[in-house]
Amino acid sequence: HKHTQMSLVNSGKIYSEKKHDAHGEGQTFISYGSKGQLVTGGGNGMVYLFADSDSEGVASELLSVDGSVVSLDCKENSVVATNGENIYFKSIGDDSDAVLLRAESDGGIDIVVLNSESNICAFSLQNEIKLIPTENSRFVRSVGKHSKLIHNMCFNPTSRYLASTSFGELKLWDLHSDPPTLVETRTLDASFSDILNPEVDGIGGMEFDPKGDLLAVPVKNTIQLFDTTLNKKFTLKDMGHSAVVSECRFDAKGTLLASVDVTGKIIIWEVLFGEGTWSAVSTFTHPHRKFISSLAWCPTRDELGFADVFGSFCVWP
């Protein structure tokens, strides 16, 4: 496929716009509600809601957990978060307390993700994937397992498929079958530490495009695009990332793809899937060249939020 590259808007610059300090030391997560509200969670155990990225103070405290927030997701107007032992669900704008969806006394919950309708939460329990309805948490379904600890997961927009990765193993599950079935497995050409280290290996943050046709997966310093049978369509390479890509995220229109590597470098790509071409439209780096632990596009405006391991978040542009 052709590869075209445009001049970069702010190539190589250190991003120095206003930084929000919200959660103290530790991994911080960022996401957006359907109306552009900004949701963050982190090491102080709090999940905060900001009306927008210009808010000077915290609009409200959505929920709190014992210890630290280790995973968080927001879809539509609903938020799910976990501290590794308990999974909490909260609707934005609902004054009632957060709902405890799941409790694991032995811990082991690493990832929580919501589907697009926010009525199903998928969570990883070490190497096993389970589904839990957000309106009736008694009916838990098992999806399947990897042989090792699960790295990351994501739903496709129709909620039919769930993708999961574990130490270079990519699996796609069909959730419309009962029980859920494994569609395909692919082995990614990637290497990992014996004990997963996000600041070296990345977080494996993958995502389907808004149409649900393509799955973007970080592999070393590239991004590989797969269809819904896990056939590889093409690879975004020679990208300008010299380090391991940690996470990639599509904007709401599916025309821009943001990628971040473990050195804190973010690249915004314009991808024309029908033509198999891509071009970099902007690149910038974390103010301290530190690990970015979360990346999210705003659904209502052209804004990319990113959070770091110091409890802070910024937005671009």
Short mmCIF file of all heavy atoms in Angstrom, two decimals, residues 2-65:
data_model
loop_
_atom_site.label_atom_id
_atom_site.label_comp_id
_atom_site.label_asym_id
_atom_site.label_seq_id
_atom_site.Cartn_x
_atom_site.Cartn_y
_atom_site.Cartn_z
N LYS A 2 0.34 2.32 -0.54
CA LYS A 2 1.08 3.57 -0.57
C LYS A 2 1.20 4.16 0.83
O LYS A 2 0.36 3.98 1.68
CB LYS A 2 0.37 4.59 -1.46
CG LYS A 2 0.39 4.24 -2.93
CD LYS A 2 -0.15 5.40 -3.75
CE LYS A 2 -1.58 5.74 -3.38
NZ LYS A 2 -2.11 6.86 -4.18
N HIS A 3 2.29 4.86 1.04
CA HIS A 3 2.50 5.56 2.31
C HIS A 3 2.87 6.99 1.98
O HIS A 3 3.90 7.23 1.34
CB HIS A 3 3.61 4.89 3.12
CG HIS A 3 4.04 5.69 4.31
ND1 HIS A 3 5.32 5.67 4.80
CD2 HIS A 3 3.36 6.56 5.10
CE1 HIS A 3 5.42 6.47 5.83
NE2 HIS A 3 4.24 7.03 6.03
N THR A 4 2.05 7.93 2.35
CA THR A 4 2.36 9.33 2.13
C THR A 4 2.54 10.01 3.46
O THR A 4 1.96 9.62 4.46
CB THR A 4 1.22 10.03 1.35
OG1 THR A 4 0.01 9.93 2.11
CG2 THR A 4 1.01 9.38 0.01
N GLN A 5 3.37 11.02 3.48
CA GLN A 5 3.62 11.74 4.74
C GLN A 5 3.55 13.24 4.49
O GLN A 5 4.20 13.76 3.60
CB GLN A 5 4.98 11.36 5.32
CG GLN A 5 5.26 12.10 6.62
CD GLN A 5 6.02 11.25 7.60
OE1 GLN A 5 6.24 10.08 7.37
NE2 GLN A 5 6.40 11.83 8.70
N MET A 6 2.75 13.92 5.30
CA MET A 6 2.62 15.36 5.20
C MET A 6 3.59 16.03 6.16
O MET A 6 4.14 15.40 7.06
CB MET A 6 1.19 15.78 5.57
CG MET A 6 0.11 15.25 4.62
SD MET A 6 -1.53 15.46 5.31
CE MET A 6 -1.57 17.21 5.66
N SER A 7 3.80 17.32 5.99
CA SER A 7 4.58 18.06 6.97
C SER A 7 3.82 18.10 8.28
O SER A 7 2.59 18.15 8.30
CB SER A 7 4.83 19.48 6.47
OG SER A 7 3.60 20.16 6.28
N LEU A 8 4.53 18.06 9.38
CA LEU A 8 3.91 18.00 10.69
C LEU A 8 3.61 19.40 11.21
O LEU A 8 4.42 20.32 11.05
CB LEU A 8 4.82 17.26 11.66
CG LEU A 8 5.20 15.84 11.20
CD1 LEU A 8 6.11 15.20 12.23
CD2 LEU A 8 3.97 15.00 10.98
N VAL A 9 2.45 19.53 11.84
CA VAL A 9 2.01 20.85 12.31
C VAL A 9 2.95 21.39 13.38
O VAL A 9 3.38 22.53 13.35
CB VAL A 9 0.57 20.76 12.84
CG1 VAL A 9 0.15 22.08 13.47
CG2 VAL A 9 -0.38 20.39 11.72
N ASN A 10 3.28 20.55 14.37
CA ASN A 10 4.18 20.99 15.44
C ASN A 10 5.19 19.88 15.72
O ASN A 10 5.31 19.39 16.82
CB ASN A 10 3.40 21.36 16.70
CG ASN A 10 2.41 20.30 17.12
OD1 ASN A 10 2.07 19.42 16.34
ND2 ASN A 10 1.94 20.37 18.35
N SER A 11 5.90 19.52 14.67
CA SER A 11 6.78 18.36 14.70
C SER A 11 7.83 18.44 15.79
O SER A 11 8.58 19.40 15.88
CB SER A 11 7.47 18.22 13.35
OG SER A 11 8.36 17.14 13.36
N GLY A 12 7.86 17.40 16.62
CA GLY A 12 8.91 17.24 17.60
C GLY A 12 8.83 18.16 18.80
O GLY A 12 9.70 18.13 19.67
N LYS A 13 7.82 19.00 18.90
CA LYS A 13 7.75 19.94 20.00
C LYS A 13 7.35 19.25 21.30
O LYS A 13 6.65 18.26 21.32
CB LYS A 13 6.76 21.06 19.69
CG LYS A 13 7.22 22.01 18.59
CD LYS A 13 6.25 23.16 18.43
CE LYS A 13 6.74 24.14 17.37
NZ LYS A 13 5.80 25.26 17.18
N ILE A 14 7.82 19.82 22.39
CA ILE A 14 7.37 19.38 23.70
C ILE A 14 6.04 20.06 23.99
O ILE A 14 5.93 21.29 23.93
CB ILE A 14 8.39 19.74 24.79
CG1 ILE A 14 9.77 19.17 24.44
CG2 ILE A 14 7.92 19.26 26.15
CD1 ILE A 14 9.80 17.68 24.35
N TYR A 15 5.02 19.27 24.26
CA TYR A 15 3.70 19.85 24.48
C TYR A 15 3.66 20.52 25.84
O TYR A 15 3.97 19.91 26.86
CB TYR A 15 2.64 18.76 24.38
CG TYR A 15 1.24 19.32 24.30
CD1 TYR A 15 0.82 20.01 23.16
CD2 TYR A 15 0.35 19.18 25.35
CE1 TYR A 15 -0.46 20.53 23.08
CE2 TYR A 15 -0.93 19.70 25.26
CZ TYR A 15 -1.33 20.37 24.13
OH TYR A 15 -2.59 20.90 24.05
N SER A 16 3.30 21.78 25.90
CA SER A 16 3.42 22.54 27.15
C SER A 16 2.16 23.32 27.48
O SER A 16 2.20 24.32 28.18
CB SER A 16 4.61 23.50 27.08
OG SER A 16 4.45 24.39 26.00
N GLU A 17 1.03 22.89 26.93
CA GLU A 17 -0.22 23.56 27.28
C GLU A 17 -0.59 23.27 28.74
O GLU A 17 0.05 22.48 29.41
CB GLU A 17 -1.34 23.10 26.34
CG GLU A 17 -1.14 23.56 24.91
CD GLU A 17 -1.06 25.06 24.76
OE1 GLU A 17 -1.92 25.75 25.36
OE2 GLU A 17 -0.16 25.54 24.08
N LYS A 18 -1.65 23.89 29.21
CA LYS A 18 -2.02 23.78 30.62
C LYS A 18 -2.20 22.34 31.06
O LYS A 18 -2.92 21.57 30.43
CB LYS A 18 -3.30 24.57 30.87
CG LYS A 18 -3.70 24.60 32.34
CD LYS A 18 -4.82 25.57 32.60
CE LYS A 18 -6.12 25.13 31.96
NZ LYS A 18 -7.24 25.99 32.34
N LYS A 19 -1.54 21.99 32.15
CA LYS A 19 -1.60 20.64 32.69
C LYS A 19 -2.51 20.64 33.92
O LYS A 19 -2.43 21.52 34.77
CB LYS A 19 -0.19 20.18 33.05
CG LYS A 19 -0.09 18.78 33.65
CD LYS A 19 1.36 18.32 33.69
CE LYS A 19 2.21 19.17 34.59
NZ LYS A 19 1.97 18.90 36.03
N HIS A 20 -3.38 19.65 34.00
CA HIS A 20 -4.27 19.53 35.15
C HIS A 20 -3.70 18.48 36.11
O HIS A 20 -3.53 17.33 35.73
CB HIS A 20 -5.67 19.10 34.71
CG HIS A 20 -6.35 20.06 33.79
ND1 HIS A 20 -7.28 20.98 34.22
CD2 HIS A 20 -6.23 20.26 32.46
CE1 HIS A 20 -7.72 21.68 33.20
NE2 HIS A 20 -7.09 21.26 32.11
N ASP A 21 -3.41 18.89 37.35
CA ASP A 21 -2.97 17.94 38.37
C ASP A 21 -4.20 17.50 39.16
O ASP A 21 -4.82 18.31 39.85
CB ASP A 21 -1.94 18.60 39.29
CG ASP A 21 -0.68 19.00 38.54
OD1 ASP A 21 -0.16 18.16 37.80
OD2 ASP A 21 -0.25 20.15 38.70
N ALA A 22 -4.52 16.21 39.07
CA ALA A 22 -5.79 15.76 39.63
C ALA A 22 -5.68 14.61 40.62
O ALA A 22 -6.46 14.53 41.57
CB ALA A 22 -6.75 15.35 38.50
N HIS A 23 -4.72 13.72 40.45
CA HIS A 23 -4.78 12.45 41.19
C HIS A 23 -3.53 12.07 41.96
O HIS A 23 -3.47 10.98 42.51
CB HIS A 23 -5.12 11.32 40.21
CG HIS A 23 -6.48 11.43 39.62
ND1 HIS A 23 -7.63 11.07 40.29
CD2 HIS A 23 -6.90 11.90 38.42
CE1 HIS A 23 -8.68 11.28 39.52
NE2 HIS A 23 -8.27 11.81 38.38
N GLY A 24 -2.53 12.92 42.01
CA GLY A 24 -1.31 12.55 42.73
C GLY A 24 -0.52 11.51 41.94
O GLY A 24 -0.84 11.18 40.80
N GLU A 25 0.53 11.00 42.57
CA GLU A 25 1.40 10.03 41.89
C GLU A 25 0.64 8.77 41.51
O GLU A 25 -0.25 8.33 42.23
CB GLU A 25 2.57 9.65 42.80
CG GLU A 25 3.61 10.74 42.96
CD GLU A 25 4.43 10.94 41.70
OE1 GLU A 25 4.74 9.93 41.04
OE2 GLU A 25 4.76 12.10 41.39
N GLY A 26 1.01 8.21 40.38
CA GLY A 26 0.43 6.94 39.96
C GLY A 26 -0.24 7.03 38.61
O GLY A 26 -0.49 8.11 38.06
N GLN A 27 -0.51 5.86 38.06
CA GLN A 27 -1.14 5.76 36.75
C GLN A 27 -2.48 6.46 36.73
O GLN A 27 -3.30 6.29 37.64
CB GLN A 27 -1.31 4.28 36.38
CG GLN A 27 -1.70 4.04 34.93
CD GLN A 27 -1.66 2.56 34.59
OE1 GLN A 27 -1.59 1.72 35.48
NE2 GLN A 27 -1.73 2.24 33.31
N THR A 28 -2.71 7.28 35.71
CA THR A 28 -3.93 8.06 35.60
C THR A 28 -4.67 7.69 34.32
O THR A 28 -4.05 7.39 33.30
CB THR A 28 -3.59 9.57 35.58
OG1 THR A 28 -2.71 9.86 36.68
CG2 THR A 28 -4.83 10.42 35.71
N PHE A 29 -5.99 7.71 34.38
CA PHE A 29 -6.83 7.32 33.24
C PHE A 29 -7.72 8.49 32.84
O PHE A 29 -8.13 9.30 33.67
CB PHE A 29 -7.70 6.11 33.61
CG PHE A 29 -6.91 4.91 34.02
CD1 PHE A 29 -6.57 4.72 35.35
CD2 PHE A 29 -6.46 3.99 33.08
CE1 PHE A 29 -5.83 3.62 35.73
CE2 PHE A 29 -5.71 2.90 33.45
CZ PHE A 29 -5.39 2.71 34.78
N ILE A 30 -8.01 8.56 31.54
CA ILE A 30 -8.84 9.64 31.02
C ILE A 30 -9.82 9.08 30.00
O ILE A 30 -9.51 8.16 29.25
CB ILE A 30 -7.96 10.75 30.39
CG1 ILE A 30 -8.79 11.98 30.03
CG2 ILE A 30 -7.20 10.23 29.16
CD1 ILE A 30 -7.94 13.19 29.69
N SER A 31 -11.04 9.62 30.02
CA SER A 31 -12.06 9.22 29.06
C SER A 31 -13.05 10.38 28.93
O SER A 31 -12.91 11.40 29.61
CB SER A 31 -12.76 7.94 29.52
OG SER A 31 -13.56 7.40 28.50
N TYR A 32 -14.04 10.22 28.05
CA TYR A 32 -15.02 11.28 27.80
C TYR A 32 -16.43 10.72 27.83
O TYR A 32 -16.68 9.59 27.36
CB TYR A 32 -14.80 11.94 26.44
CG TYR A 32 -13.61 12.86 26.37
CD1 TYR A 32 -12.36 12.40 25.99
CD2 TYR A 32 -13.75 14.22 26.67
CE1 TYR A 32 -11.27 13.26 25.90
CE2 TYR A 32 -12.66 15.10 26.59
CZ TYR A 32 -11.44 14.60 26.21
OH TYR A 32 -10.36 15.45 26.13
N GLY A 33 -17.37 11.52 28.34
CA GLY A 33 -18.78 11.21 28.23
C GLY A 33 -19.32 11.65 26.88
O GLY A 33 -18.65 12.35 26.11
N SER A 34 -20.56 11.30 26.59
CA SER A 34 -21.15 11.57 25.28
C SER A 34 -21.34 13.05 25.00
O SER A 34 -21.43 13.47 23.85
CB SER A 34 -22.49 10.84 25.14
OG SER A 34 -23.40 11.32 26.12
N LYS A 35 -21.38 13.88 26.04
CA LYS A 35 -21.55 15.31 25.86
C LYS A 35 -20.23 16.07 25.99
O LYS A 35 -20.23 17.30 26.11
CB LYS A 35 -22.56 15.85 26.88
CG LYS A 35 -23.96 15.27 26.72
CD LYS A 35 -24.92 15.83 27.75
CE LYS A 35 -26.32 15.24 27.58
NZ LYS A 35 -27.27 15.76 28.61
N GLY A 36 -19.14 15.34 25.95
CA GLY A 36 -17.83 15.98 26.02
C GLY A 36 -17.31 16.18 27.42
O GLY A 36 -16.27 16.81 27.61
N GLN A 37 -18.02 15.63 28.43
CA GLN A 37 -17.50 15.74 29.79
C GLN A 37 -16.23 14.89 29.90
O GLN A 37 -16.12 13.83 29.31
CB GLN A 37 -18.52 15.24 30.82
CG GLN A 37 -19.94 15.69 30.58
CD GLN A 37 -20.76 14.63 29.89
OE1 GLN A 37 -20.34 14.08 28.88
NE2 GLN A 37 -21.92 14.33 30.44
N LEU A 38 -15.31 15.36 30.69
CA LEU A 38 -14.03 14.69 30.84
C LEU A 38 -14.02 13.90 32.14
O LEU A 38 -14.34 14.44 33.21
CB LEU A 38 -12.91 15.72 30.81
CG LEU A 38 -11.53 15.25 30.41
CD1 LEU A 38 -10.80 16.38 29.69
CD2 LEU A 38 -10.73 14.85 31.64
N VAL A 39 -13.68 12.63 32.06
CA VAL A 39 -13.68 11.73 33.22
C VAL A 39 -12.26 11.25 33.46
O VAL A 39 -11.59 10.79 32.53
CB VAL A 39 -14.61 10.52 32.99
CG1 VAL A 39 -14.56 9.58 34.19
CG2 VAL A 39 -16.05 10.99 32.74
N THR A 40 -11.79 11.37 34.70
CA THR A 40 -10.44 10.91 35.03
C THR A 40 -10.46 10.07 36.30
O THR A 40 -11.33 10.22 37.16
CB THR A 40 -9.47 12.10 35.25
OG1 THR A 40 -9.87 12.84 36.42
CG2 THR A 40 -9.46 13.02 34.04
N GLY A 41 -9.49 9.18 36.43
CA GLY A 41 -9.34 8.37 37.62
C GLY A 41 -7.87 8.08 37.85
O GLY A 41 -7.07 8.12 36.90
N GLY A 42 -7.48 7.80 39.10
CA GLY A 42 -6.06 7.59 39.32
C GLY A 42 -5.68 7.08 40.68
O GLY A 42 -6.46 6.44 41.38
N GLY A 43 -4.43 7.40 41.05
CA GLY A 43 -3.79 6.81 42.22
C GLY A 43 -4.41 7.18 43.55
O GLY A 43 -4.20 6.47 44.54
N ASN A 44 -5.17 8.28 43.61
CA ASN A 44 -5.81 8.65 44.87
C ASN A 44 -7.15 7.95 45.07
O ASN A 44 -7.87 8.24 46.04
CB ASN A 44 -5.99 10.16 44.97
CG ASN A 44 -6.90 10.73 43.90
OD1 ASN A 44 -7.30 10.02 42.97
ND2 ASN A 44 -7.24 12.00 44.02
N GLY A 45 -7.51 7.06 44.14
CA GLY A 45 -8.75 6.29 44.28
C GLY A 45 -10.01 7.02 43.89
O GLY A 45 -11.11 6.50 44.04
N MET A 46 -9.87 8.23 43.34
CA MET A 46 -11.03 9.03 42.97
C MET A 46 -11.26 8.99 41.47
O MET A 46 -10.32 8.93 40.67
CB MET A 46 -10.83 10.48 43.40
CG MET A 46 -10.56 10.67 44.88
SD MET A 46 -11.87 10.01 45.95
CE MET A 46 -13.27 10.99 45.38
N VAL A 47 -12.54 9.05 41.08
CA VAL A 47 -12.94 9.24 39.68
C VAL A 47 -13.66 10.58 39.62
O VAL A 47 -14.67 10.79 40.30
CB VAL A 47 -13.86 8.12 39.18
CG1 VAL A 47 -14.34 8.41 37.76
CG2 VAL A 47 -13.14 6.78 39.24
N TYR A 48 -13.09 11.51 38.84
CA TYR A 48 -13.60 12.88 38.77
C TYR A 48 -14.30 13.13 37.44
O TYR A 48 -13.98 12.54 36.41
CB TYR A 48 -12.46 13.88 38.90
CG TYR A 48 -11.76 13.91 40.23
CD1 TYR A 48 -10.37 13.99 40.30
CD2 TYR A 48 -12.48 13.88 41.41
CE1 TYR A 48 -9.71 14.03 41.52
CE2 TYR A 48 -11.83 13.91 42.64
CZ TYR A 48 -10.44 13.99 42.68
OH TYR A 48 -9.79 14.03 43.89
N LEU A 49 -15.23 14.08 37.48
CA LEU A 49 -15.94 14.55 36.29
C LEU A 49 -15.67 16.03 36.12
O LEU A 49 -15.94 16.83 37.02
CB LEU A 49 -17.44 14.30 36.42
CG LEU A 49 -18.32 14.87 35.29
CD1 LEU A 49 -18.12 14.07 34.01
CD2 LEU A 49 -19.79 14.85 35.70
N PHE A 50 -15.12 16.41 34.95
CA PHE A 50 -14.95 17.81 34.58
C PHE A 50 -15.98 18.14 33.51
O PHE A 50 -16.19 17.35 32.59
CB PHE A 50 -13.55 18.07 34.03
CG PHE A 50 -12.45 17.88 35.03
CD1 PHE A 50 -11.98 16.61 35.31
CD2 PHE A 50 -11.89 18.96 35.68
CE1 PHE A 50 -10.95 16.41 36.22
CE2 PHE A 50 -10.86 18.77 36.60
CZ PHE A 50 -10.39 17.49 36.86
N ALA A 51 -16.60 19.30 33.61
CA ALA A 51 -17.61 19.69 32.62
C ALA A 51 -17.00 19.72 31.23
O ALA A 51 -17.63 19.35 30.24
CB ALA A 51 -18.23 21.04 32.97
N ASP A 52 -15.76 20.19 31.13
CA ASP A 52 -15.00 20.19 29.87
C ASP A 52 -13.55 20.38 30.22
O ASP A 52 -13.17 20.52 31.40
CB ASP A 52 -15.50 21.26 28.90
CG ASP A 52 -15.51 22.65 29.51
OD1 ASP A 52 -14.46 23.05 30.07
OD2 ASP A 52 -16.55 23.32 29.44
N SER A 53 -12.70 20.41 29.21
CA SER A 53 -11.26 20.49 29.45
C SER A 53 -10.80 21.86 29.95
O SER A 53 -9.67 22.01 30.41
CB SER A 53 -10.49 20.13 28.18
OG SER A 53 -10.87 20.99 27.12
N ASP A 54 -11.67 22.88 29.88
CA ASP A 54 -11.31 24.22 30.35
C ASP A 54 -11.68 24.44 31.81
O ASP A 54 -11.42 25.51 32.36
CB ASP A 54 -11.99 25.29 29.49
CG ASP A 54 -11.46 25.29 28.06
OD1 ASP A 54 -10.25 25.04 27.90
OD2 ASP A 54 -12.25 25.54 27.14
N SER A 55 -12.32 23.45 32.42
CA SER A 55 -12.76 23.60 33.80
C SER A 55 -11.56 23.81 34.72
O SER A 55 -10.59 23.07 34.66
CB SER A 55 -13.53 22.36 34.26
OG SER A 55 -14.68 22.16 33.46
N GLU A 56 -11.62 24.84 35.55
CA GLU A 56 -10.52 25.12 36.46
C GLU A 56 -10.52 24.18 37.66
O GLU A 56 -9.48 23.83 38.19
CB GLU A 56 -10.62 26.58 36.95
CG GLU A 56 -10.33 27.59 35.86
CD GLU A 56 -8.90 27.54 35.37
OE1 GLU A 56 -8.02 27.11 36.14
OE2 GLU A 56 -8.66 27.92 34.21
N GLY A 57 -11.68 23.79 38.09
CA GLY A 57 -11.77 22.91 39.26
C GLY A 57 -12.52 21.64 38.92
O GLY A 57 -13.02 21.46 37.83
N VAL A 58 -12.58 20.75 39.88
CA VAL A 58 -13.28 19.49 39.69
C VAL A 58 -14.78 19.74 39.75
O VAL A 58 -15.28 20.34 40.69
CB VAL A 58 -12.88 18.47 40.78
CG1 VAL A 58 -13.71 17.22 40.68
CG2 VAL A 58 -11.40 18.15 40.67
N ALA A 59 -15.50 19.33 38.71
CA ALA A 59 -16.94 19.55 38.69
C ALA A 59 -17.63 18.70 39.75
O ALA A 59 -18.51 19.16 40.46
CB ALA A 59 -17.49 19.24 37.30
N SER A 60 -17.21 17.43 39.85
CA SER A 60 -17.82 16.56 40.84
C SER A 60 -16.98 15.30 41.01
O SER A 60 -16.17 14.96 40.14
CB SER A 60 -19.25 16.18 40.44
OG SER A 60 -19.25 15.47 39.21
N GLU A 61 -17.18 14.65 42.12
CA GLU A 61 -16.56 13.35 42.36
C GLU A 61 -17.57 12.28 42.00
O GLU A 61 -18.62 12.15 42.63
CB GLU A 61 -16.14 13.22 43.82
CG GLU A 61 -15.08 14.22 44.26
CD GLU A 61 -14.72 14.09 45.72
OE1 GLU A 61 -15.31 13.23 46.41
OE2 GLU A 61 -13.86 14.86 46.18
N LEU A 62 -17.29 11.52 40.96
CA LEU A 62 -18.23 10.50 40.52
C LEU A 62 -18.28 9.32 41.47
O LEU A 62 -19.34 8.83 41.83
CB LEU A 62 -17.86 10.02 39.12
CG LEU A 62 -18.28 10.90 37.95
CD1 LEU A 62 -17.80 10.30 36.64
CD2 LEU A 62 -19.79 11.08 37.91
N LEU A 63 -17.10 8.82 41.84
CA LEU A 63 -17.04 7.67 42.76
C LEU A 63 -15.64 7.58 43.32
O LEU A 63 -14.70 8.23 42.85
CB LEU A 63 -17.44 6.37 42.06
CG LEU A 63 -16.59 5.90 40.87
CD1 LEU A 63 -15.50 4.92 41.32
CD2 LEU A 63 -17.48 5.22 39.82
N SER A 64 -15.49 6.76 44.35
CA SER A 64 -14.18 6.53 44.94
C SER A 64 -14.01 5.05 45.22
O SER A 64 -14.98 4.32 45.41
CB SER A 64 -14.02 7.33 46.24
OG SER A 64 -14.97 6.91 47.21
N VAL A 65 -12.75 4.61 45.21
CA VAL A 65 -12.43 3.21 45.49
C VAL A 65 -11.36 3.17 46.56
O VAL A 65 -10.62 4.13 46.77
CB VAL A 65 -11.95 2.47 44.22
CG1 VAL A 65 -12.98 2.55 43.12
CG2 VAL A 65 -10.60 3.02 43.75
#
